[in-house]
Amino acid sequence: MKTAVCFPGQALSPVTDLLQRLQQFAAANSTVEEGEKFIEQARSPLSERTIQQLGTFIASVASFKVLTDEMDLPVSLLVEHGVGMYAALVAARSMSFHQGLEIVVMAGDLLDEVADRGDFEMASIVGLSREELNLVCSVAAESGEVYLANINSPTHFVLSGHKKALVAACDGAIRRGAIEAKLLGIGTPIHTNILESRGRRLAKQLATVQFQNPAVPIVEHIYGQRIIECNILDLLSQQLFMPVKWTRVMDVVHRKGIDTLIALPPETGLAEVIEANLEDVTVISPGEAGDLEAWLGQLAGLS
């Protein structure tokens, strides 16, 4: 059996209950406690968006520790979706947990600068081809900037940009027969050129951080390549303004002969996206209800 672990991006609902349940495991308890203490003692007030992202980051790192330290599951490969890059780098021991917490806050502060303007959004479009989506976006661009932010599968995309343009894109997608076209309520134009200057600023803030070569191979979501020590800084910067090319990551998973892919909590809908790309891979996820116990039960069958 060859197993990969997937670190999710932004959770769309609070993870407080998940963090409490993870604390029943010795391997996860100290991580959750350290993360919660960090939030409580933050030097400046944190936005709800940043707190939510910190919760996702903490939950992913803690869940990974349950897999490896408590359940002793062998892991061949790590993959990450969007801001899941931060937790993957901690899991692979490329940076410390505390460094990861600090970077989440740095990135969150930069995103808040843009989000405070209140005119940005993200939208999920399912059921159109890339060519059909391009036509939709060309019309929607008359209402504002619109970018392709995520290529999750050949028919599942996420757009990012000005809210007015994304509303127009959703309307146009439905008219062309999309299965789903909805705003995500995220409020930031992440994974677009709008944030390039913020990404460059993040790189400057992290210039003195010493990263280590990943102890476990990580495939990143921008180019679908393996992360090495010398490109971590650039990837953390580009993560803010480059699109998520998830289909490239899935191609690598297929070529590596991975037969089991574990999607870490919290649930972000990522399991469905994985299954849309890899029919011959067993996907184990917490499910839409975020059922941690059921997820752990499935994992117990692997050990």
Side-chain angles (χ1 to χ4, degrees):
M1 181 178 69
K2 293 188 70 174
T3 301
V5 173
C6 180
F7 291 79
Q10 177 71 57
L12 300 180
S13 57
V15 298
T16 305
D17 182 58
L18 171 62
L19 293 175
Q20 290 177 345
R21 284 182 287 156
L22 282 167
Q23 285 188 282
Q24 67 182 292
F25 301 97
N29 184 55
S30 61
T31 297
V32 175
E33 287 186 346
E34 181 181 348
E36 291 181 336
K37 184 177 180 180
F38 176 88
I39 294 173
E40 292 171 2
Q41 298 180 350
R43 291 188 295 273
S44 59
L46 302 174
S47 68
E48 287 300 317
R49 182 181 296 101
T50 298
I51 292 173
Q52 179 83 344
Q53 190 55 59
L54 282 166
T56 301
F57 168 78
I58 295 165
S60 294
V61 174
S63 299
F64 184 78
K65 287 191 173 184
V66 173
L67 292 185
T68 56
D69 297 359
E70 196 139 335
M71 304 186 77
D72 198 29
L73 285 176
V75 176
S76 302
L77 185 70
L78 306 182
V79 297
E80 47 80 16
H81 191 277
V83 290
M85 181 182 291
Y86 308 136
L89 287 168
V90 172
R93 299 194 290 278
S94 289
M95 63 183 182
S96 70
F97 180 61
H98 185 79
Q99 286 174 322
L101 291 167
E102 293 278 7
I103 292 172
V104 171
V105 171
M106 289 179 192
D109 288 345
L110 292 168
L111 290 174
D112 287 343
E113 292 177 3
V114 180
D116 287 344
R117 291 164 52 183
D119 57 351
F120 293 110
E121 247 297 1
M122 299 185 77
S124 174
I125 309 291
V126 180
L128 297 184
S129 68
R130 180 72 176 272
E131 292 73 20
E132 290 172 320
L133 184 70
N134 288 342
L135 292 173
V136 167
C137 289
S138 65
V139 175
E142 297 174 4
S143 301
E145 290 181 275
V146 56
Y147 296 90
L148 180 57
N150 293 45
I151 306 171
N152 284 332
S153 81
T155 58
H156 183 183
F157 308 95
V158 174
L159 303 178
S160 188
H162 287 109
K163 185 173 183 178
K164 187 176 180 181
L166 294 190
V167 170
C170 287
D171 291 343
I174 291 296
R175 287 196 297 271
R176 283 191 170 270
I179 299 170
E180 174 185 277
K182 64 179 183 181
L183 300 180
L184 296 177
I186 292 177
T188 58
I190 195 167
H191 307 312
T192 74
N193 290 341
I194 297 170
L195 290 178
E196 183 169 2
S197 63
R198 268 80 179 181
R200 302 303 182 196
R201 283 168 56 191
L202 180 62
K204 290 181 179 179
Q205 292 173 7
L206 299 177
T208 60
V209 177
Q210 296 295 313
F211 298 106
Q212 307 299 319
N213 218 33
V216 182
I218 309 173
V219 177
E220 45 78 17
H221 67 262
I222 300 171
Y223 305 102
Q225 297 179 356
R226 183 171 173 174
I227 293 178
I228 55 177
E229 179 184 347
C230 63
N231 68 8
I232 291 175
L233 180 60
D234 285 342
L235 290 171
L236 287 172
S237 167
Q238 293 172 25
Q239 195 281 128
L240 290 183
F241 62 87
M242 294 286 283
V244 175
K245 296 179 180 176
W246 185 244
T247 50
R248 292 187 179 182
V249 177
M250 294 293 92
D251 286 345
V252 175
V253 169
H254 178 72
R255 292 199 305 270
K256 293 288 185 182
I258 298 296
D259 51 43
T260 303
L261 205 158
I262 301 170
L264 293 177
E267 173 60 32
T268 61
L270 198 51
E272 182 179 341
V273 173
I274 295 169
E275 290 168 345
N277 288 278
L278 299 171
E279 296 180 355
D280 55 346
V281 172
T282 299
V283 180
I284 299 177
S285 81
E288 291 186 7
D291 192 334
L292 181 64
E293 287 69 29
W295 179 73
L296 291 169
Q298 293 180 75
L299 294 175
L302 300 178
S303 56

